[in-house]
Amino acid sequence: MLAAVSEAESLNAQIIADAELRALEEEGARGAEDIVVTPEECNVYAESSTESLSAEASRAAMTFAGESSLQPDTVSLSGLASEEAARTQLRAGRDQLDACSEFTMEVSNQEIRTTVSEVDVDTAADEDLALRTTAQVPGTIQESITVRAVVGSTVVDVLVGGSPDPAADAARAERLTDLVAAELRAR
């Protein structure tokens, strides 16, 4: 499905299959041990929700050059056992937003202040949640739009790096979500 979206949009994406994705996450989890998040309940790296999602899901991701020069765009899929399991993942994201709209991360003695706010999107998914994340790193501000959507029993996560036009970023994330939703429904 991701390859079809990449080809249709001429994204020249790198597709990462389930096994490789799990290996990358394990490597990332080891590196996350040195990250200090305040308040502590906002430390998504310490929570097991991703691990439990990984254990029960069939997953894939793609990454490709986006409009931001600071980070690539990514689209990932998690095929779960049921629609309810997928909707639970979306609700977890909404609960996280309610509890952690502002937090600080300390990485290698560098403080990163992060704010997260909900953004309105209109996707073709069964349900969605869109977030704008702003990370203030000394010397720069990095923004991104994330859409987490549910299509049947699949969770779709789209991450678009921020450009000088936030409305265009949200529209891009919406479009990518819609393309993946259409592919999922066609199969």
Side-chain angles (χ1 to χ4, degrees), residues 87-153:
R87 290 178 190 275
T88 297
Q89 291 301 316
L90 188 75
R91 283 193 298 275
R94 191 170 304 282
D95 292 346
Q96 183 76 14
L97 172 64
D98 291 343
C100 297
S101 60
E102 294 183 24
F103 57 94
T104 303
M105 293 189 300
E106 189 177 322
V107 183
S108 302
N109 296 323
Q110 188 173 34
E111 188 175 272
I112 302 168
R113 294 185 182 277
T114 305
T115 57
V116 183
S117 58
E118 190 165 359
V119 178
D120 288 328
V121 293
D122 183 21
T123 71
D126 301 334
E127 204 173 332
D128 60 45
L129 171 66
L131 305 173
R132 176 184 320 283
T133 303
T134 303
Q136 296 178 332
V137 181
T140 186
I141 296 176
Q142 297 177 7
E143 291 193 343
S144 62
I145 300 284
T146 304
V147 175
R148 173 164 274 190
V150 173
V151 180
S153 62

Side-chain angles (χ1 to χ4, degrees), residues 2-122:
L2 293 175
V5 170
S6 177
E7 187 175 324
E9 292 296 298
S10 301
L11 298 175
N12 195 27
Q14 175 188 1
I15 309 290
I16 306 166
D18 191 79
E20 184 181 353
L21 194 56
R22 289 176 195 275
L24 289 170
E25 286 175 343
E26 285 177 24
E27 186 178 305
R30 284 191 294 274
E33 294 170 356
D34 297 331
I35 298 173
V36 177
V37 179
T38 309
E40 194 174 317
E41 63 267 17
C42 297
N43 188 357
V44 296
Y45 303 106
E47 295 177 5
S48 62
S49 61
T50 304
E51 290 172 10
S52 64
L53 175 63
S54 295
E56 69 179 73
S58 170
R59 303 183 25 207
M62 71 177 176
T63 182
F64 50 95
E67 301 299 314
S68 169
S69 61
L70 298 174
Q71 67 184 26
D73 291 351
T74 61
V75 177
S76 61
L77 302 176
S78 300
L80 301 177
S82 69
E83 290 182 27
E84 182 54 33
R87 290 178 190 275
T88 297
Q89 291 301 316
L90 188 75
R91 283 193 298 275
R94 191 170 304 282
D95 292 346
Q96 183 76 14
L97 172 64
D98 291 343
C100 297
S101 60
E102 294 183 24
F103 57 94
T104 303
M105 293 189 300
E106 189 177 322
V107 183
S108 302
N109 296 323
Q110 188 173 34
E111 188 175 272
I112 302 168
R113 294 185 182 277
T114 305
T115 57
V116 183
S117 58
E118 190 165 359
V119 178
D120 288 328
V121 293
D122 183 21

